[in-house]
Amino acid sequence: MIDIKLKAREEVRVSSGHLWIFSNEIENFDKTATPGTLCRILNSNGKVIAHGYFNPHTLIAVRILKRGSEPLGEDFIFDAIDNAYTYRKEIGVRKYGRMVYGESDGLPGLVIDRFGDILVIDILTAGMENLKDEIVSAVKKLFKPKGILFRNDSNFRVMENLPTEQEIIGKVPETVVIEENKIKYEVPLLAGQKTGFYFDQRENREFLKPYFKERLVLDLYSYIGGFGVYAAVNGAAQVWGTDSSALAVEFAKKNAELNDVADIALYEKDDAERILSAMGKKELPDQPDMVLLDPPPFVKNRKSLPQAIELYIKLNRMALEGLEKGGLLATSTCSHHISREIFVDILKRAAFKAGKQVVMLELRGQAKDHPVLLGMPETEYLHFALLQVR
């Protein structure tokens, strides 16, 4: 373990609950340290204020594992994952959901999603990679999985100079069937997006349930039908879904069949902007009166934020233009670079450009198994709104 000493007055943000320390905040920066080395964090007076791990080659040089002067316990990884799982059980998330969400669970650089007997793990940093054996030992004791899949395909691993090949421990099938809100989904674990399924939208899908009744629903960026199949099961008159991924469309169709709504939820590979343009021109066979808009995180970094904002405005503007009076738009963004304030401004500007009077019926965030750490705004990344054209 090494000591990392902060420059004068640089401990203020850490003391307020933030868990990152940037390279320019460190005194006598040591570029020779092994990436991921455990460290004690000292303030400018030499007092220990936290413990974490250090990478001299990344902008976020230190990620804090524990605040205060008390050292890390011998079983701190097991204890942290156990605490995270205890919280999930308290909120009713046991078999399917996010079991560990990075900084919010005191484990920066670690994401664990549970698909019944299978765990999908993303290790994003060198510090967590160094603790991989302890992580595997802990999850085996706590969850007793039949298989563990390390996705290892995040851009964060590239920035940390970590290998990006998938790794499997035990037996992991190509797909699994999960259940969420009484709906079944077949999930592509090995070839799907992220960890395979977007558990973070669980509560937003459930929230929309009463709004689907008798609606003609357009499901854009549908992935494997998380929203659209749920809409069809819960009273939508018709659902048309589209995604640019042929694999996603294949699984959306499977999930419609799995829930006996293949005649209601129809999915095709297509471009969202093309469909929105056709909707605005009333060129679709039927005119939707509800749009589900859950696009990918266009913001790769802070530099790309202005361009991404304009794209989000464009998509929401096109959706609002195509909706008649009483029409609904359920829309999301999923990047921590877009704050709630920016998200609301995107919607305001989209409504103005569409020339529509729009009310916000609800403003929501990510599911509770993705808890937001108040001292770290970066842990709040998903924003969701339900709008109505008046």
Side-chain angles (χ1 to χ4, degrees):
M1 183 169 295
I2 63 174
D3 286 346
I4 299 294
K5 189 176 182 181
L6 300 180
K7 296 177 181 178
R9 295 182 294 280
E10 294 293 356
E11 69 268 19
V12 175
R13 186 165 44 79
V14 174
S15 299
S16 68
H18 206 277
L19 300 183
W20 294 346
I21 296 172
F22 297 94
S23 56
N24 62 355
E25 298 171 332
I26 297 172
E27 189 175 285
N28 299 323
F29 192 86
D30 181 8
K31 294 184 178 180
T32 65
T34 302
T37 300
L38 291 175
C39 63
R40 302 192 307 169
I41 297 102
L42 285 61
N43 66 14
S44 58
N45 296 322
K47 178 184 176 182
V48 178
I49 59 171
H51 292 74
Y53 56 80
F54 175 63
N55 189 336
H57 306 310
T58 54
L59 177 61
I60 304 172
V62 176
R63 296 176 189 260
I64 293 173
L65 293 163
K66 184 178 182 180
R67 296 171 62 200
S69 60
E70 186 178 338
L72 295 169
E74 187 174 331
D75 297 321
F76 77 92
I77 288 291
F78 178 88
D79 292 341
I81 296 177
D82 187 28
N83 288 338
Y85 185 35
T86 297
Y87 164 71
R88 270 61 182 191
K89 288 185 285 188
E90 289 172 350
I91 62 172
V93 178
R94 294 173 177 265
K95 197 173 181 181
Y96 309 114
R98 179 143 298 180
M99 299 294 115
V100 171
Y101 175 48
E103 281 81 356
S104 291
D105 288 306
L107 292 163
L110 179 64
V111 170
I112 302 177
D113 279 2
R114 187 179 189 185
F115 296 84
D117 294 328
I118 307 298
L119 296 179
V120 179
I121 299 180
D122 272 349
I123 291 180
L124 308 175
T125 61
M128 276 296 153
E129 187 76 13
N130 291 347
L131 296 164
K132 185 175 179 179
D133 290 344
E134 289 87 339
I135 293 168
V136 171
S137 175
V139 298
K140 283 183 175 180
K141 288 179 183 177
L142 289 166
F143 303 107
K144 298 177 175 55
K146 291 181 180 178
I148 301 172
L149 168 64
F150 289 90
R151 284 295 299 255
N152 294 346
D153 56 0
S154 168
N155 288 332
F156 290 104
R157 287 184 66 87
V158 176
M159 291 188 289
E160 298 261 341
N161 199 29
L162 295 172
T164 55
E165 295 83 15
Q166 286 187 356
E167 179 183 348
I168 292 175
I169 297 176
K171 294 184 179 180
V172 175
E174 289 191 9
T175 72
V176 293
V177 175
I178 67 168
E179 187 172 314
E180 179 190 275
N181 299 328
K182 300 181 180 179
I183 308 295
K184 292 180 180 179
Y185 298 99
E186 184 175 354
V187 177
L189 290 183
L190 299 181
Q193 298 173 15
K194 298 290 185 179
T195 62
F197 190 71
Y198 293 99
F199 290 117
D200 52 5
Q201 291 276 25
R202 178 195 304 107
E203 294 167 20
N204 295 328
R205 284 187 277 268
E206 177 72 8
F207 160 76
L208 287 177
K209 182 177 178 178
Y211 294 95
F212 289 133
K213 188 172 179 59
E214 299 301 322
R215 290 279 180 176
L216 302 177
V217 179
L218 179 60
D219 182 18
L220 301 174
Y221 302 100
S222 60
Y223 187 42
I224 64 172
F227 276 103
V229 171
Y230 190 79
V233 172
N234 286 286
Q238 191 71 59
V239 177
W240 301 279
T242 184
D243 198 283
S244 61
S245 164
L247 177 70
V249 169
E250 175 190 341
F251 275 86
K253 290 179 178 179
K254 285 184 179 181
N255 289 325
E257 293 173 1
L258 188 61
N259 291 278
D260 298 321
V261 290
D263 57 332
I264 299 173
L266 309 175
Y267 286 90
E268 296 294 338
K269 182 178 181 294
D270 213 321
D271 177 73
E273 288 192 45
R274 192 195 76 79
I275 296 295
L276 283 173
S277 177
M279 178 184 171
K281 296 174 184 176
K282 294 183 170 51
E283 294 176 348
L284 297 179
D286 292 285
Q287 194 69 6
D289 57 10
M290 185 174 188
V291 176
L292 304 173
L293 184 60
D294 187 20
F298 299 129
V299 191
K300 302 303 181 184
N301 49 54
R302 189 165 293 278
K303 186 177 179 181
S304 65
L305 181 58
Q307 182 179 359
I309 287 173
E310 291 305 316
L311 182 51
Y312 283 123
I313 291 171
K314 178 182 179 181
L315 290 170
N316 283 280
R317 184 259 300 166
M318 293 176 75
L320 291 171
E321 284 177 343
L323 287 169
E324 301 295 338
K325 184 177 180 180
L328 297 173
L329 170 61
T331 181
S332 305
T333 61
C334 55
S335 170
H336 75 260
H337 292 290
I338 294 185
S339 66
R340 179 155 292 202
E341 181 181 10
I342 293 174
F343 176 61
V344 172
D345 187 61
I346 286 170
L347 301 182
K348 288 178 181 177
R349 292 168 64 184
F352 175 77
K353 290 191 173 187
K356 297 290 182 76
Q357 184 176 359
V358 177
V359 295
M360 184 181 293
L361 301 181
E362 188 86 6
L363 182 61
R364 302 171 59 85
Q366 62 226 46
K368 294 181 186 66
D369 54 354
H370 296 63
V372 175
L373 191 63
L374 284 181
M376 267 201 87
E378 293 86 354
T379 59
E380 182 181 24
Y381 69 95
L382 179 65
H383 303 290
F384 172 96
L386 179 63
L387 309 178
Q388 185 175 50
V389 176
R390 291 287 175 90

